[in-house]
Amino acid sequence: MTQDTINKILQFRDERDWNQFHNPKDLAISISLESAELLEVFQWSAEDVNCTEKLNKIREELADVVNYCVLMADACGLDLDEIVEAKIKKNNEKYPVELAKGSKKKYNQLKKG
Ligand SMILES: [Mg+2]
């Protein structure tokens, strides 16, 4: 995500003076609720993997999740690039390519050697 997009999200919040409501707890709740709305797109769906017909709703709910993630990072003083890069590094250590490639096993079930 570009800094310009992040700035637009923060500007939207600031123009409405909503920062006063955006504490980390309520933002975490909002991320979870919007994630549930994203999941709701697939509720009772016989073909969970086919999302072409649901793409407009997915686009909207995914954007809601990401917007709240940006707001949460701002409320906590976190740099999204920095924390995502740190998590990728951690995941690379948990899931080495030579053990995890083509596998859906959890990291603690991957066998070494
Ligand atoms: Mg939503």
Side-chain angles (χ1 to χ4, degrees):
M1 180 175 289
T2 65
Q3 189 60 48
D4 184 50
T5 303
I6 291 172
N7 289 343
K8 285 177 182 169
I9 294 168
L10 300 178
Q11 182 183 353
F12 180 91
R13 175 201 65 193
D14 292 341
E15 285 172 347
R16 287 153 185 81
D17 195 23
W18 286 351
N19 194 31
Q20 60 182 311
F21 308 119
H22 286 185
N23 61 73
K25 173 190 67 76
D26 287 318
L27 290 167
I29 289 169
S30 297
I31 291 168
S32 183
L33 292 174
E34 294 299 344
S35 297
E37 289 181 10
L38 178 60
L39 196 53
E40 191 178 26
V41 174
F42 298 95
Q43 186 180 28
W44 310 122
S45 170
E47 294 182 31
D48 289 339
V49 291
N50 183 0
C51 63
T52 49
E53 291 177 10
K54 306 172 179 80
L55 211 48
N56 282 340
K57 193 65 181 162
I58 291 168
R59 178 182 288 123
E60 198 166 307
E61 299 307 339
L62 187 57
D64 284 341
V65 172
V66 172
N67 284 344
Y68 275 122
C69 289
V70 168
L71 293 166
M72 177 90 179
D74 185 68
C76 295
L78 298 172
D79 181 301
L80 279 172
D81 285 325
E82 186 183 313
I83 64 174
V84 169
E85 283 177 30
K87 190 64 181 184
I88 290 170
K89 184 173 185 272
K90 195 173 179 181
N91 285 341
N92 270 325
E93 291 163 6
K94 282 168 77 175
Y95 294 95
V97 174
E98 62 272 18
L99 297 179
K101 189 171 186 177
S103 172
K104 56 184 176 183
K105 289 182 180 171
K106 195 171 176 180
Y107 67 92
N108 58 2
Q109 296 176 322
L110 293 171
K111 301 255 189 281
K112 291 182 181 166

